[in-house]
Amino acid sequence: MVLLAMGITMNSLTGLGASAIVSVPFTVSEATGLSFGDLTLIVYILFVGAEFVIMGKKSSWTYLLQIPLSIVFTRIMNLIKAVLPYESGNLPVDLLVLVIAIILTGVGAAMTVDMALIPNPGDGIVASISARSGRELGLCKNILDLCCVCCSLIIGAVMGNPLMGVGLGTFISMIGVGRVIAVFNALARTGLRRMAGLETAEQKA
């Protein structure tokens, strides 16, 4: 979870646009000056509601546990943003930080979902879409990211600048995070779940 928070926050600090999944609250934050973490919390609560709609009768009350988790998670994001001394402006360095951010985000998201713990709502909604559609988790992540970026462009356009919270880094992360999840799961998911006893438990069930 900390890796995920670091990845999302570092992405926003590059000056190349926020990570796609949080591009909507980042765009609103840039336009209004409101807290990025607080706006992200609002979006995460909406994601939890969407999970109930997507899963229908297969929904679980445990989805609601994502809300207190989101409160802690977004406070960690605010803390990381406050303590990281990074200043954007050097494109090669910004791109390097972006790559690190994408890797951290993808690995953090994959590990959280794979361990069957309470997920971050951004990952929980992806897992719900994947479970309902039968599609691979990384692909569902790419699709949701695309939807978020489109919403950010629309919100930015209404506020006078379509690219207010969207940049090169947003589009790179939109593709990159989903692919990192897919590669990580292909290489490590089975082994991690076996080490955690999750594969054995599922087989016995």
Side-chain angles (χ1 to χ4, degrees), residues 20-24 43-44 47 50 54 121-129 137-151 174:
I21 193 71
V22 293
S23 59
V24 170
V43 171
Y44 279 175
F47 281 168
I54 292 169
D123 303 319
I125 190 172
V126 172
S128 296
I129 295 171
L137 189 70
L139 175 62
C140 293
K141 171 67 173 173
N142 287 144
I143 293 172
L144 180 63
D145 282 351
L146 177 60
C147 293
C148 290
V149 170
C150 289
C151 289
M174 182 173 64

Side-chain angles (χ1 to χ4, degrees), residues 2-197:
V2 174
L3 291 178
L4 180 59
M6 287 182 64
I8 292 174
T9 306
M10 287 173 64
N11 198 314
S12 68
L13 292 176
T14 62
L16 300 173
S19 175
I21 193 71
V22 293
S23 59
V24 170
F26 184 74
T27 298
V28 177
S29 176
E30 289 292 291
T32 63
L34 296 174
S35 167
F36 176 41
D38 292 344
L39 291 169
T40 299
L41 175 60
I42 294 172
V43 171
Y44 279 175
I45 292 173
L46 294 176
F47 281 168
V48 173
E51 288 180 55
F52 280 97
V53 175
I54 292 169
M55 296 305 293
K57 294 181 179 179
K58 294 183 179 180
S59 298
S60 169
W61 65 270
T62 57
Y63 293 171
L64 294 175
L65 295 176
Q66 295 177 52
I67 295 177
L69 176 70
S70 298
I71 295 173
V72 176
F73 183 81
T74 52
R75 297 317 93 185
I76 293 174
M77 286 176 58
N78 281 343
L79 177 62
I80 292 173
K81 187 172 183 179
V83 300
L84 278 180
Y86 185 75
E87 292 288 341
S88 62
N90 185 315
L91 183 58
V93 177
D94 290 341
L95 290 173
L96 176 60
V97 172
L98 176 65
V99 171
I100 295 172
I102 289 172
I103 293 172
L104 291 174
T105 302
V107 172
M111 291 181 70
T112 303
V113 174
D114 291 348
M115 291 298 97
L117 299 173
I118 301 169
N120 172 280
D123 303 319
I125 190 172
V126 172
S128 296
I129 295 171
S130 177
R132 189 62 185 265
S133 67
R135 300 292 184 179
E136 186 264 325
L137 189 70
L139 175 62
C140 293
K141 171 67 173 173
N142 287 144
I143 293 172
L144 180 63
D145 282 351
L146 177 60
C147 293
C148 290
V149 170
C150 289
C151 289
S152 299
L153 291 172
I154 293 172
I155 293 172
V158 171
M159 294 183 171
N161 181 5
L163 300 179
M164 184 176 298
V166 176
L168 176 63
T170 306
F171 292 101
I172 294 176
S173 70
M174 182 173 64
I175 299 171
V177 172
R179 294 306 89 204
V180 169
I181 291 175
V183 171
F184 181 86
N185 279 341
L187 295 176
R189 183 178 189 274
T190 300
L192 284 174
R193 289 177 64 83
R194 187 178 295 118
M195 290 172 62

